[in-house]
Amino acid sequence: MRTSNMSLMQRQSQSTQCAFKQTGRACQAVSTARSRRLRHTVQATDPQQQQQQTEDAPGQPAPARLNLANPAETIVWGGRLPSTRRLTLSGLAALGITLGGNLGGVTSWLLGLDGGQLAATLHADVLIPVLGYKRCQDAGNGYEFQYPAQWLADQTLLYRAAQRAEAARSLDPQPLRQKRKDVVEPSAAFGPAGSTGEENISVVVAPIFQGFKLESLGAADAAGRYFLDNIVAPAGSDKTATLIAAQERRDTSGVLYYQLEFTVESAKFSRHNVAVLASRDDLLYTLNAQCPASRWQQDGQQLLHAAASFRLSGSPSPQYPGSL
């Protein structure tokens, strides 16, 4: 009995040792396979190793070598740089963002190379300042002019214009008590940020009697004196207006403009003004650019530029304040 038990134990021990040996050989085979795959991967990604293998096997064709002088053909870890089409599209997109956003003022600089003529034709200066000015274009009333790029639009006028547009679209009945329509406000106004309103550029579009022509007022100087004596400083007011210069011009469409430079004095203020008058379709257009007399030396050139740039454009659909 004892001899039989010992023989059984010896057979079990031998079986266990055999199993351990088989497991060890299997692990060694797996490890060897992994080492071979890793060595093959390193050789495939190592240019020097590939070159050595090529030299050892003269019967095989040599692979293409890296050309660092041409990045588009350079192989980097099995991949290539972006295609020419992708690079072109990316470059055009970056250029469009740069020009559209006027990054670094590059668009303003480019549009100013021809003196702003292209920007004026395309009306690009409505959004992008060119040579220090932006353009106000009122398609509804049919006029445009340039103003200093740093100046801001009068927010009160914009708010009132939005109110008038909303009232025109409203389906509610009109109130019984109507507002006065004989008070004509500017349709556009601009001025320096944080100013008191003494320095500004504004445009008033007002109806006038049928068939009115600017020529009916006479020459520019005669029209200027009539304008000052009856509109700016009428008799009985505490203001005194003095005409400094008067000139006339016509645009390519034949529209006549009178440009007047004058000063206005009173006990409360002293101003230097430039005004431009024009008429079309029974409407009188008046651009007024003004500043305190003490600032004319600094800002006068900007106001004269704005006056010279004023012109009528397109076919107006009158939207002057008080017309609704």
Side-chain angles (χ1 to χ4, degrees):
M1 186 68 177
R2 184 176 301 174
T3 303
S4 176
N5 291 337
M6 290 179 63
S7 299
L8 180 60
M9 292 175 62
Q10 288 177 356
R11 284 195 300 269
Q12 292 178 351
S13 176
Q14 291 176 357
S15 299
T16 302
Q17 291 177 2
C18 182
F20 283 154
K21 289 180 181 181
Q22 292 178 356
T23 303
R25 284 194 296 269
C27 292
Q28 185 177 4
V30 172
S31 177
T32 302
R34 288 181 177 177
S35 300
R36 290 176 180 175
R37 286 197 299 270
L38 179 60
R39 187 162 52 252
H40 177 73
T41 303
V42 172
Q43 291 175 356
T45 56
D46 189 355
Q48 296 181 356
Q49 191 72 14
Q50 291 179 356
Q51 183 178 1
Q52 184 66 29
Q53 291 178 357
T54 302
E55 295 175 355
D56 294 342
Q60 298 179 358
R65 294 187 177 182
L66 300 181
N67 183 9
L68 298 180
N70 188 353
E73 297 181 358
T74 301
I75 300 176
V76 181
W77 292 100
R80 289 183 178 274
L81 292 179
S83 63
T84 303
R85 178 175 177 273
R86 181 176 297 180
L87 289 174
T88 302
L89 293 178
S90 300
L92 291 176
L95 180 61
I97 293 174
T98 301
L99 296 179
N102 195 25
L103 299 180
V106 62
T107 309
S108 297
W109 177 75
L110 289 175
L111 292 176
L113 293 178
D114 64 345
Q117 297 181 4
L118 179 61
T121 303
L122 301 177
H123 293 99
D125 50 356
V126 173
L127 299 175
I128 300 173
V130 178
L131 299 177
Y133 294 92
K134 296 182 72 174
R135 184 176 302 274
C136 171
Q137 183 179 20
D138 189 335
N141 290 309
Y143 67 83
E144 61 183 60
F145 65 93
Q146 290 182 310
Y147 62 93
Q150 297 82 10
W151 287 20
L152 304 177
D154 190 323
Q155 299 301 313
T156 302
L157 294 180
L158 296 177
Y159 176 72
R160 291 175 180 172
Q163 284 184 319
R164 289 192 297 271
E166 183 179 358
R169 295 190 300 266
S170 177
L171 299 178
D172 297 334
Q174 295 292 332
L176 297 178
R177 185 176 181 179
Q178 298 287 342
K179 295 182 179 180
R180 291 180 56 186
K181 293 187 177 182
D182 56 344
V183 178
V184 179
E185 297 179 341
S187 60
F190 298 85
S195 63
T196 60
E198 283 292 308
E199 184 172 5
N200 65 78
I201 301 173
S202 62
V203 177
V204 173
V205 183
I208 201 168
F209 60 84
Q210 187 175 3
F212 172 80
K213 299 293 183 182
L214 199 60
E215 296 91 327
S216 63
L217 298 178
D221 55 348
R225 286 191 294 269
Y226 178 86
F227 179 71
L228 297 183
D229 294 342
N230 294 273
I231 306 299
V232 178
S237 66
D238 63 344
K239 295 181 289 186
T240 302
T242 303
L243 183 63
I244 298 176
Q247 57 184 357
E248 64 179 62
R249 58 181 170 88
R250 289 184 183 271
D251 60 17
T252 56
S253 301
V255 178
L256 177 65
Y257 302 86
Y258 285 165
Q259 180 169 319
L260 314 173
E261 181 181 348
F262 56 93
T263 58
V264 182
E265 303 283 344
S266 76
K268 298 181 179 180
F269 60 83
S270 176
R271 296 174 183 156
H272 202 128
N273 296 58
V274 181
V276 180
L277 307 178
S279 65
R280 182 178 63 183
D281 299 334
D282 301 332
L283 295 174
L284 179 63
Y285 295 78
T286 305
L287 178 142
N288 180 65
Q290 68 179 38
C291 71
S294 59
R295 292 195 56 84
W296 179 256
Q297 294 297 328
Q298 294 83 3
D299 301 336
Q301 193 60 38
Q302 292 181 329
L303 302 185
L304 289 172
H305 179 92
S309 68
F310 179 73
R311 72 181 187 90
L312 305 188
S313 60
S315 299
S317 300
Q319 298 177 4
Y320 50 85
S323 64
L324 299 178

